[in-house]
Amino acid sequence: MDRTELLARADAWIAAHREEYILELQQIARIPSVSRADLAAPGEPFGPDCRRVLDYALERGRFYGFSTADHDGYAGSITWGDAAHSIGVIAHLDVVPVGDGWVYPPFGATYLPEHDVLIGRGVDDNKSAFVAGLFAMRMLREFGVPMRHGVKLYGGTSEETGMEDMKALLERGE
């Protein structure tokens, strides 16, 4: 398959999965995952809401047939192919606190079709990158694109509070 054909197939795949992508992003964005180290407990170093979003993200990876790993609650990873020799894609699942002045519910992930936009905490920064990475992995796998390396999608839970998630991953050899 040449580049032009691959791009045409990708455009068609994205169009065919557009509504599914929006629904996936809405579901994960509705989890109020504010990173809270002050609420830490075993397996949830950034509080129960970050634990919940991490569990949900890993469940979605398994749902789509990928291997998953929980990195002690600091982050999770979803892998396709050779995990030992993988290309890392990094996104984060935590969000900043809500703040004031919301017209729409901050964790409603409200879709406005007339503007083709989702509104809510985390829909852009950065849960969309996580869902897009998951969908890209699905698309490439479905296309049978030969890969020299695996792909590992990381979802961290502390980007907004000092990137302690990535520090923990590095300490663990990821």
Side-chain angles (χ1 to χ4, degrees), residues 24-149:
E24 286 285 357
L25 181 52
Q26 284 179 307
Q27 291 303 310
I28 202 164
R30 287 180 175 144
I31 300 170
S33 52
V34 175
S35 187
R36 297 278 311 267
D38 61 313
L39 299 177
E44 49 189 57
F46 305 109
D49 290 334
C50 282
R51 175 77 255 168
R52 199 169 104 206
V53 77
L54 185 58
D55 288 341
Y56 181 80
L58 294 174
E59 184 278 321
R60 298 316 292 160
R62 288 187 295 274
F63 175 81
Y64 289 118
F66 296 109
S67 300
T68 64
D70 180 342
H71 304 283
D72 301 322
Y74 288 89
S77 58
I78 298 172
T79 305
W80 168 48
D82 183 359
H85 301 95
S86 59
I87 298 166
V89 177
I90 300 174
H92 66 89
L93 302 168
D94 63 312
V95 298
V96 296
V98 172
D100 297 324
W102 286 85
V103 174
Y104 296 93
F107 294 108
T110 305
Y111 180 63
L112 301 177
E114 65 275 17
H115 300 291
D116 194 28
V117 67
L118 276 172
I119 297 174
R121 180 64 81 212
V123 298
D124 183 47
D125 179 17
N126 184 247
K127 293 176 180 182
S128 59
F130 183 85
V131 176
L134 183 59
F135 275 54
M137 290 167 63
R138 289 179 54 204
M139 181 181 68
L140 292 171
R141 182 184 62 191
E142 287 176 26
F143 288 2
V145 172
M147 301 286 287
R148 260 189 288 194
H149 302 280

Side-chain angles (χ1 to χ4, degrees), residues 163-174:
M163 297 193 67
E164 298 302 318
D165 51 357
M166 295 298 113
K167 293 173 189 172
L169 281 175
L170 291 171
E171 289 170 1
R172 289 162 173 73
E174 287 291 318

